[in-house]
Amino acid sequence: MYKNKVLLSLSILSILTICSCSGNKPNPNPKPDPEKEDVLIETIKKRMPAEFEPVSMVKMCYPNNMPLSVYKTIAEDNKVLLLVNPTSSGNSRINAARNALSNEGANMDNITFLDMPIDDDYTYWVRDFSPFYVFDNKQLTVTDFTYNRPYRTEQNNVPKKLANYFEIPYSKMDLVHTGGNLMQDGRGTAFSDDLVVQENNNNKSKVLSEMKNGTGTDNYVITIDPQGDYIAHIDCWGKIVAPDKIIVARLPESNPRYSYYEQVANELANTKCSYGYNYRIYRIDEPGGDTIAPYTNSLIANNHVYMPLGEDDSLNQAALQVYEEALPGYEVIGVEGFSFDDSRCFLNTDALHCRTHEVPNQNMVFIDSRDVYNGNVPLQNEYLVKANIVSYADKELSEVKIHYSINDGEYVTEDMSQYKSSTNYTYTFAGLTSGDDVKYYIEASDIDNNYNVEPTCGQLDPHHFVIN
């Protein structure tokens, strides 16, 4: 009858009752006990937003030993802040950069040019020397570190100049670090390989303390470097693409580094994400050796994935499919990295992620869910869904909705209830029975139309649980 469609309107429920039709009839959002303080989620007051959160612009350098088509591709759907390195005599190259990109057909309305000395034309790794962007309460700030290339003095000065440019607060940690050796989930968990410990006099406790105090990272997962390469950057072999999803490269079993890659993949697969269950691991096949296949060295910006293409077309297509599987609904774009003289500029240790850096949208709406129902869960009277929803623009929320489907029925949309006078919102499923299959996701927006959805892919990959 209505087993696959749950209707919550009281009038329809009455009709169903009169007709004695069978089916699930959950209560229309019973409120949680106001004395239950464990309902509250305290979103980390100081946190690093993740790359997959809303982005205001993407930073890149000019020149950058990349074809102009790369700038054009990213600027089609994103604002770009171009850090233009002056000539050795100090003269601006902005006009040259503007003319080159205009002739390439780039969307010039999306590109802002900024004079920025960066040592020389061959040190364009903006990922590595850019600061960490950190929300301190509702204020976006720049958190700096000592770049692990101290001889690049101009690049070490870039974070403070960017703080001045964006007119946001600046602080600096007592920590040697580099952006290519960090990925974070936006909820207090971050990942690096052990290069960060080695470069800080093997003082792991100091690394953990500085990251917690400086960025709000209270779960810093430090792995081995499976590459065994000089660069030892995590973006060369792994990438967090959602709060519960990590892509990890995989080598052929015959490769001498195979076991190291499997070791870190297994370690991450046994690490709990902020939702309360273990990370979902996706694997991208790479050949290893000298064949260029830098697939994890990608950029995520505003529901787009820009993946650097390698030399093997079949591997390229397989890698693109992994991103599409991990991020359904995202536009996944393969980016060629050939320079003007037709020599390949992307390397396994230096590709698109290294040469770009996102700037978070400081007006974003952030949805923070914890203790998420997932997989098989025991039968109980009620299932409380809770989320802390923060408007970083400090605007009134115009709507907070939960969308859910039971037993593959049509999605039902309901308002979530504000809990007390906090920024927490709840929804309670009641009346579910053994065997019920529930999918749900949350969306929120403020009065300025800043919008977000959780989990990352919304209805295309919702939270999902089944009643035992």
Side-chain angles (χ1 to χ4, degrees):
M1 307 287 196
Y2 288 90
K3 184 65 176 178
N4 293 328
K5 182 184 290 186
V6 176
L7 304 175
L8 292 179
S9 164
L10 290 177
S11 60
I12 294 177
L13 279 174
S14 299
I15 294 171
L16 289 177
T17 302
I18 293 171
C19 294
S20 299
C21 297
S22 63
N24 296 314
K25 305 178 184 67
N27 265 341
N29 197 16
K31 305 297 188 295
D33 185 339
E35 300 304 318
K36 290 183 178 178
E37 292 297 338
D38 61 346
V39 168
L40 289 171
I41 297 172
E42 293 291 346
T43 293
I44 302 166
K45 292 182 178 179
K46 181 176 285 189
R47 74 174 191 96
M48 279 190 296
E51 185 177 333
F52 47 79
E53 294 184 45
V55 168
S56 64
M57 59 179 58
V58 175
K59 296 197 303 286
M60 302 175 72
C61 294
Y62 183 93
N64 196 332
N65 192 34
M66 291 192 303
L68 295 172
S69 60
V70 177
Y71 299 97
K72 177 183 176 182
T73 296
I74 294 174
E76 285 178 5
D77 296 289
N78 301 279
K79 299 290 186 182
V80 171
L81 178 63
L82 204 58
L83 308 184
V84 182
N85 191 36
T87 65
S88 56
S89 60
N91 294 324
S92 175
R93 283 180 168 146
I94 286 180
N95 285 338
R98 181 179 286 111
N99 291 336
L101 291 171
S102 178
N103 292 336
E104 182 67 19
N107 183 350
M108 302 305 291
D109 291 338
N110 277 353
I111 303 176
T112 299
F113 300 85
L114 179 63
D115 276 317
M116 183 69 69
I118 48 176
D119 293 291
D120 62 60
D121 291 349
Y122 299 97
T123 55
Y124 35 68
W125 299 286
V126 67
R127 174 70 51 181
D128 292 342
F129 62 77
S130 280
F132 299 152
Y133 293 97
V134 175
F135 280 113
D136 192 349
N137 288 314
K138 293 183 179 180
Q139 171 69 62
L140 186 65
T141 69
V142 158
T143 298
D144 197 4
F145 50 86
T146 299
Y147 181 31
N148 68 350
R149 301 290 188 269
Y151 48 89
R152 295 175 183 161
T153 55
E154 290 179 342
Q155 292 182 23
N156 261 303
N157 292 328
V158 167
K160 185 172 289 187
K161 292 180 178 180
L162 287 173
N164 291 335
Y165 176 76
F166 292 123
E167 298 181 335
I168 58 178
Y170 168 90
S171 63
K172 186 169 184 176
M173 298 183 290
D174 183 18
L175 191 67
V176 177
H177 215 322
T178 180
N181 192 31
L182 182 77
M183 57 184 183
Q184 68 274 5
D185 75 342
R187 290 154 172 80
T189 295
F191 302 83
S192 296
D193 66 42
D194 51 17
L195 175 69
V196 67
V197 176
Q198 296 167 18
E199 292 185 328
N200 287 277
N201 299 314
N202 291 309
N203 189 342
K204 184 175 181 179
S205 62
K206 176 185 176 182
V207 171
L208 298 178
S209 175
E210 287 293 317
M211 286 293 289
K212 180 174 178 60
N213 294 333
T215 70
T217 298
D218 54 13
N219 181 32
Y220 198 7
V221 180
I222 299 176
T223 74
I224 65 166
D225 168 33
Q227 311 170 88
D229 206 298
Y230 77 98
I231 194 70
H233 285 186
I234 201 168
D235 63 3
C236 296
W237 58 265
K239 188 172 190 70
I240 185 166
V241 297
D244 61 344
K245 301 176 184 178
I246 302 176
I247 293 176
V248 181
R250 178 170 54 203
L251 300 182
E253 290 188 36
S254 58
N255 189 289
R257 303 300 302 181
Y258 168 80
S259 62
Y260 298 99
Y261 278 73
E262 296 311 294
Q263 178 181 333
V264 294
N266 290 334
E267 178 183 347
L268 297 179
N270 286 289
T271 300
K272 288 193 181 299
C273 72
S274 64
Y275 293 150
Y277 53 83
N278 289 351
Y279 279 96
R280 299 155 63 183
I281 305 300
Y282 297 78
R283 305 302 299 273
I284 280 186
D285 288 315
E286 297 182 357
D290 294 331
T291 303
I292 296 173
Y295 302 130
T296 62
N297 204 270
S298 61
L299 170 71
I300 300 176
N302 295 323
N303 299 106
H304 291 73
V305 176
Y306 302 93
M307 190 198 80
L309 297 174
E311 294 177 289
D312 186 306
D313 287 339
S314 62
L315 287 176
N316 289 343
Q317 292 306 311
L320 291 168
Q321 289 174 11
V322 172
Y323 277 101
E324 290 170 354
E325 179 186 354
L327 294 171
Y330 276 55
E331 184 174 358
V332 182
I333 301 168
V335 179
E336 296 228 3
F338 292 89
S339 62
F340 302 116
D341 62 0
D342 205 33
S343 65
R344 191 175 291 273
C345 72
F346 287 161
L347 303 172
N348 290 327
T349 55
D350 171 22
L352 195 57
H353 194 252
C354 298
R355 304 178 190 208
T356 59
H357 197 292
E358 66 287 344
V359 179
N361 184 337
Q362 57 187 311
N363 294 320
M364 73 168 71
V365 169
F366 176 59
I367 305 174
D368 189 2
S369 291
R370 304 292 173 106
D371 302 321
V372 168
Y373 297 108
N374 178 72
N376 295 320
V377 301
L379 178 64
Q380 54 196 51
N381 292 331
E382 296 181 348
Y383 299 85
L384 177 65
V385 175
K386 50 189 180 179
N388 193 19
I389 302 177
V390 179
S391 166
Y392 282 106
D394 207 20
K395 299 291 184 179
E396 178 184 349
L397 295 175
S398 57
E399 66 174 18
V400 179
K401 304 284 189 182
I402 186 170
H403 307 266
Y404 67 87
S405 166
I406 300 179
N407 299 323
D408 291 325
E410 292 182 7
Y411 269 86
V412 174
T413 299
E414 294 287 342
D415 290 326
M416 295 186 73
S417 299
Q418 188 172 10
Y419 184 65
K420 295 185 175 180
S421 59
S422 71
T423 56
N424 277 247
Y425 288 76
T426 67
Y427 187 85
T428 304
F429 290 105
L432 297 175
T433 60
S434 181
D436 280 343
D437 185 304
V438 183
K439 299 172 182 175
Y440 71 94
Y441 65 97
I442 299 167
E443 64 177 358
S445 58
D446 66 16
I447 58 175
D448 285 349
N449 296 318
N450 294 301
Y451 167 88
N452 213 339
V453 64
E454 192 280 332
T456 305
C457 299
Q459 185 174 335
L460 295 176
D461 191 12
H463 294 306
H464 184 197
F465 66 98
V466 178
I467 310 299
N468 281 345

